[in-house]
Amino acid sequence: MNLIIFASGTGTNAAAIIEWFKANGKARVSLIVCNKPGAGVLNIAEREGIPVMMIDRHTFDDDATVAALRAHAPALIILAGYLWKIPPALTQAFPDRIINIHPALLPSYGGKGMYGGNVHTAVIAAGETHSGITIHYVNEEYDKGNVILQAHCNVLPGDTPGALAKRIHKLEHYYFPRTIEFLLDNMEA
Ligand SMILES: Nc1nc2c(c(=O)[nH]1)N[C@@H](CN(C=O)c1ccc(C(=O)N[C@@H](CCC(=O)O)C(=O)O)cc1)CN2
Ligand SMILES: NCC(=O)N[C@@H]1O[C@H](COP(=O)([O-])[O-])[C@@H](O)[C@H]1O
C-alpha cells in the first residue's frame, strides 16, 4: 500500500512514519508533497529516495494535483505539519482518506493561525494544565474533521513553548505511525 505525506517543515513526523513502515513492510511512503522550498522534510525525502512534488499557490491546479495523487493510488494521504488548507477538490477526491495530526486537544486551540509554536504559546498563556495531540480526518475546514485519536500530556509550571513542543512531539512520534497502521489494517477496500 502507498502512503502520501504532505509536510511543510522539519519532517520529524514524516521520518517516524517512514521508519515505522520500513520496519514492518505494511506500506511505503511513495510521495512527499511540500510547499516550502528548503524545508527539512526535503532532506529526509532525498535521504530516503522518496519522490517529491513541490506545490505553489500560484501554479497549483486542482485537477492536475488530484491526477498526480491518484497515480499513486494512496491508501492514505497524511498531513504531517502541512501548513496550507487542503482544497475541496482533494477532500472530495479522497473522502475519509486524508488525515492530519494537530498538536493540541481539538476542538480547543485549532483553526486558522493555530500551527506549530503558536499552539503551544496559546495553551501555556491560557494556563492549561494539560495538552496533547489530535489525529483526525480532514474535511474542508481547518481542524473540524472527525477525531480518530487523542493523547494527553501535562503542561508543567514554567513550561516554555519549546519544552511543551518536545513533550508533544514524543506523543506524535509514538501514536501517529501506530494510528496509521491501525487504519490500514481496518480499511475497507
Ligand atoms: N482542509 C483542511 N486543510 C488542512 C487541515 C484541515 O483540517 N483541513 N489541517 C491543516 C493543519 N493545521 C492544523 O492541524 C493547520 C495548518 C496551518 C494553519 C494556518 O493557519 N495556516 C496559515 C498559513 C501558514 C503558512 O503559510 O505558513 C493560513 O492558512 O493562513 C491552520 C491549521 C493542514 N490543512
Ligand atoms: N496545525 C498543524 C500543526 O501545527 N502541525 C504540527 O506541526 C509539527 C510538524 O513537525 P514535524 O515537521 O517535525 O513533523 C507537528 O508538531 C504537528 O503537530
Side-chain angles (χ1 to χ4, degrees), residues 101-111 114 119-120 123 128-136 143 145 147 149-155 164 168 171-172 175:
I101 192 162
H102 183 73
L105 298 171
L106 294 174
S108 302
Y109 306 104
M114 280 290 135
V119 175
H120 309 312
V123 164
E128 299 287 356
T129 58
H130 292 83
S131 189
I133 63 169
T134 303
I135 298 170
H136 64 93
D143 304 329
V147 172
L149 175 133
Q150 290 189 311
H152 295 233
C153 68
N154 293 323
V155 179
L164 180 54
I168 292 285
L171 291 177
E172 295 179 330
Y175 284 104

Side-chain angles (χ1 to χ4, degrees), residues 20-108:
W20 183 262
F21 288 101
K22 272 168 66 174
N24 74 19
K26 287 189 174 182
R28 60 190 280 268
V29 177
S30 64
L31 181 69
I32 288 177
V33 180
C34 184
N35 63 331
K36 302 274 184 179
V41 69
L42 298 175
N43 298 325
I44 293 168
E46 183 177 14
R47 183 185 75 208
E48 298 292 338
I50 298 171
V52 168
M53 181 168 82
M54 294 300 295
I55 56 176
D56 177 281
R57 285 192 202 281
H58 307 296
T59 59
F60 186 89
D61 177 83
D62 283 349
D63 294 339
T65 303
V66 168
L69 299 179
R70 283 203 194 284
H72 288 258
L76 284 173
I77 294 173
I78 298 155
L79 311 186
Y82 181 68
L83 299 186
W84 287 356
K85 184 169 283 186
I86 297 290
L90 271 65
T91 55
Q92 290 162 14
F94 301 98
D96 291 334
R97 292 293 176 105
I98 307 176
I99 65 174
N100 178 58
I101 192 162
H102 183 73
L105 298 171
L106 294 174
S108 302

